[in-house]
Amino acid sequence: MAARFRPDPTFYPSPTMAMQAPPEQLAYVVLLDPTGAKRPDAMAVVDVDPASKSFAQVVGQVDMPNIGDELHHFGWNACSACLCPYAPHPHVERRYLVVPGINSSRIYILDTQPDPKRPQIVRTIEPDELFRKTGYASPHTTHCGPEGIYVSALGAPDGGGPGGIFMLDHETFDIRGRWEIDRGPQVLHYDFWWHLGHDTLISSEWGTPNMVRRGLVPELLLGGKYGNSLHVWDLRRRKHLERLELGPEYQMVLELRPAHNPTRPWGFASVVVSLKDLSASIWLWFLEGGKWQIKKVIEIPAEPADPALLPPLLKGFGAVPPLITDINLSLDDKTLYVSCWGTGEFLQYDVSDPHNPKKTGSVHLGGIVRQTAHPNQPDVKLGGGPQMVEVSRDGRRVYFTNSLYAPWDEQFYPGGFDGWMVKLDVPADGKGMTLDPKFFLQFEPGLRGHQIRLQGGDASSDSYCYP
């Protein structure tokens, strides 16, 4: 990959400057075959320019060469982190998408140039290479850092633990190896993010491949065996520092969203379910008095429901759990978005004071029982619910899709569902949101949308070294 003479114009030193960037015109969305056997997964290119004749339509698509990948949380090869003062790669481009397959342990590198609507596969990292060079399997989440590409993995090639993080080169995409020098007690793994201004990495816990690839295992859940902790790491020294336990009743600590301003040592973590009452929750981690701490700041209760309307997994409970499966934080660190995949509710909170979030908006779409329709097609009941969410750099537009992970889709929505993507508009003050009636994208039958990335960057692609 040729170096640029000047930094990529989509890189910004600070989140404040990134909020002034031009609006996105395209979105990249992974499409999954829920059967894992009928056809390859794909990368769709969606037109998100309201002035375009093809607005809210798929305008490009590349099918993967293999079947059964289950593409997951992909990301850019490079981003604004490359402008950090110690970054050795300030002149690479935000050009390539790094796309991991959670089931196949295969990683695809897609080039979005010269035509952003027609990305091309330029390299495939086969599972054997990943196993040999890292000892990890089931790559899950990709983040571009100052000195390379970080990728999390759920576990080992035999399906057990431990999970962890490995590195890819910014330019060649060669695997460098495991990131950890001293991994401490962490065995389960899921997401990770960092505070570049504090040389700290935070990681979360879900389960090993054997614990998740066939769906939720009730015995493991009721036994409190899924992840219930956050982990604090020394980012530069790659060493585990401490474990922050939420308590065994809080199962599956998933998405992490740190403050974008590097001077703010706090962030939010989502918890899928409480064994006590099926509620879901949002936790704040923060640095106070030189010590990292956590506390629950949002709790969302389960909704009572007729057992006849529930999937077998939930009939005995007579309630629908919210199932928080994704969250996102606006670049100004003032607005948090929460996807409740079970109830079909999408929530907005004012987190200007992160210790005391205030609910400012709510939209329903889909849901296990509600099956709420979109205003574009008010007579069509929707399956799935708000899931992977992405926020534009200026915070004025929010997008989400409705598929979680094929075996989990099957458990909670056994009747199946079609894949869709929607857009919401947010006023300038960040309070409230409305569905765009013109943006209701139904993907081709047999494919479901998952992770979204916006052309030029979005609220969860980049990290910054300046406030």
Side-chain angles (χ1 to χ4, degrees):
M1 181 172 67
R4 299 171 57 91
F5 288 105
R6 295 186 178 184
D8 188 308
T10 71
F11 294 172
Y12 293 88
S14 71
T16 303
M17 295 179 69
M19 291 184 69
Q20 309 305 315
E24 66 282 356
Q25 294 186 322
L26 298 174
Y28 296 95
V29 186
V30 287
L31 302 180
L32 314 173
D33 167 23
T35 72
K38 291 184 177 179
R39 57 155 297 168
D41 296 344
M43 179 67 71
V45 185
V46 178
D47 188 337
V48 294
D49 179 3
S52 171
K53 293 182 179 179
S54 53
F55 177 59
Q57 297 178 31
V58 174
V59 293
Q61 182 171 312
V62 54
D63 291 345
M64 301 302 117
N66 301 283
I67 292 177
D69 288 312
E70 184 95 26
L71 302 181
H72 232 62
H73 295 185
F74 69 100
W76 293 102
N77 65 301
C79 60
S80 299
C82 288
L83 297 183
C84 288
Y86 54 87
H89 297 286
H91 301 301
V92 294
E93 291 181 89
R94 188 199 307 267
R95 171 172 176 169
Y96 299 89
L97 295 172
V98 181
V99 189
I102 190 174
N103 282 358
S104 67
S105 293
R106 188 177 285 114
I107 302 172
Y108 298 102
I109 309 300
L110 273 60
D111 189 354
T112 64
Q113 297 296 335
D115 185 350
K117 295 181 180 180
R118 291 173 175 77
Q120 302 292 322
I121 300 171
V122 293
R123 179 168 179 180
T124 302
I125 300 172
E126 295 292 346
D128 287 348
E129 182 179 356
L130 177 64
F131 300 162
R132 185 175 70 255
K133 292 183 177 180
T134 70
Y136 288 142
S138 293
H140 186 277
T141 297
T142 302
H143 291 313
C144 41
E147 70 281 63
I149 302 166
Y150 292 64
V151 186
S152 70
L154 297 184
D158 65 1
I165 299 170
F166 62 93
M167 299 285 295
L168 301 179
D169 187 89
H170 263 311
E171 299 176 272
T172 66
F173 306 106
D174 291 336
I175 296 175
R176 293 179 180 171
R178 287 194 182 199
W179 173 75
E180 302 89 356
I181 295 294
D182 178 358
R183 65 176 308 108
Q186 183 165 13
V187 176
L188 305 181
H189 209 282
Y190 183 77
D191 199 7
F192 66 98
W193 256 119
W194 40 62
H195 294 287
L196 295 178
H198 296 268
D199 291 333
T200 299
L201 181 143
I202 308 291
S203 61
S204 63
E205 299 181 339
W206 184 21
T208 65
N210 287 340
M211 296 169 66
V212 303
R213 63 169 46 132
R214 294 178 182 85
L216 178 67
V217 182
E219 295 79 12
L220 294 177
L221 177 66
L222 296 176
K225 301 299 184 182
Y226 287 98
N228 70 345
S229 300
L230 296 179
H231 295 263
V232 181
W233 302 75
D234 185 311
L235 179 60
R236 293 288 189 92
R237 294 177 175 83
R238 298 148 58 191
K239 293 184 177 182
H240 186 279
L241 297 178
E242 61 179 317
R243 179 176 190 161
L244 305 175
E245 294 190 41
L246 280 61
E249 79 172 66
Y250 298 104
Q251 287 287 281
M252 293 175 282
V253 187
L254 297 188
E255 304 294 340
L256 304 178
R257 295 292 181 261
H260 298 283
N261 185 322
T263 68
R264 297 170 179 159
W266 55 260
F268 296 102
S270 64
V271 176
V272 175
V273 68
S274 166
L275 297 180
K276 180 181 178 181
D277 54 13
L278 295 187
S279 65
S281 53
I282 302 293
W283 293 65
L284 176 73
W285 77 79
F286 57 100
L287 184 64
E288 186 173 272
K291 182 179 180 181
W292 290 99
Q293 303 179 53
I294 52 172
K295 71 175 185 179
K296 183 166 59 175
V297 292
I298 299 172
E299 183 172 282
I300 304 172
E303 297 181 358
D306 182 348
L309 301 176
L310 297 173
L313 190 66
L314 298 175
K315 285 185 181 296
F317 297 100
V320 180
L323 301 177
I324 295 178
T325 52
D326 197 20
I327 59 176
N328 214 321
L329 181 65
S330 62
L331 281 188
D332 60 7
D333 296 333
K334 293 181 179 180
T335 309
L336 182 72
Y337 294 92
V338 179
S339 293
C340 298
W341 187 65
T343 54
E345 187 173 19
F346 187 69
L347 291 158
Q348 180 194 62
Y349 292 88
D350 178 352
V351 292
S352 300
D353 176 1
H355 292 266
N356 297 285
K358 297 178 180 179
K359 181 179 172 182
T360 51
S362 172
V363 169
H364 278 94
L365 273 186
I368 293 171
V369 172
R370 291 175 183 267
Q371 300 180 334
T372 307
H374 190 276
N376 183 281
Q377 296 190 23
D379 298 326
V380 178
K381 293 183 177 181
L382 295 182
Q387 217 285 105
M388 295 309 299
V389 53
E390 196 49 81
V391 182
S392 65
R393 287 169 291 185
D394 62 5
R396 301 297 301 276
R397 295 163 301 285
V398 179
Y399 306 86
F400 64 78
T401 55
N402 67 323
S403 175
L404 175 61
Y405 178 30
W408 295 57
D409 288 356
E410 178 65 24
Q411 282 183 304
F412 289 96
Y413 292 89
F417 57 82
D418 294 327
W420 44 264
M421 175 180 174
V422 299
K423 168 180 171 282
L424 300 97
D425 294 313
V426 180
D429 64 3
K431 294 179 174 59
M433 54 186 172
T434 55
L435 284 164
D436 183 341
K438 297 180 180 179
F439 197 114
F440 179 56
L441 172 56
Q442 293 176 291
F443 296 111
E444 66 176 273
L447 289 177
R448 297 174 184 167
H450 190 64
Q451 175 77 49
I452 303 167
R453 289 291 180 209
L454 304 182
Q455 184 186 31
D458 46 58
S460 66
S461 288
D462 291 42
S463 47
Y464 307 88
C465 275
Y466 300 93

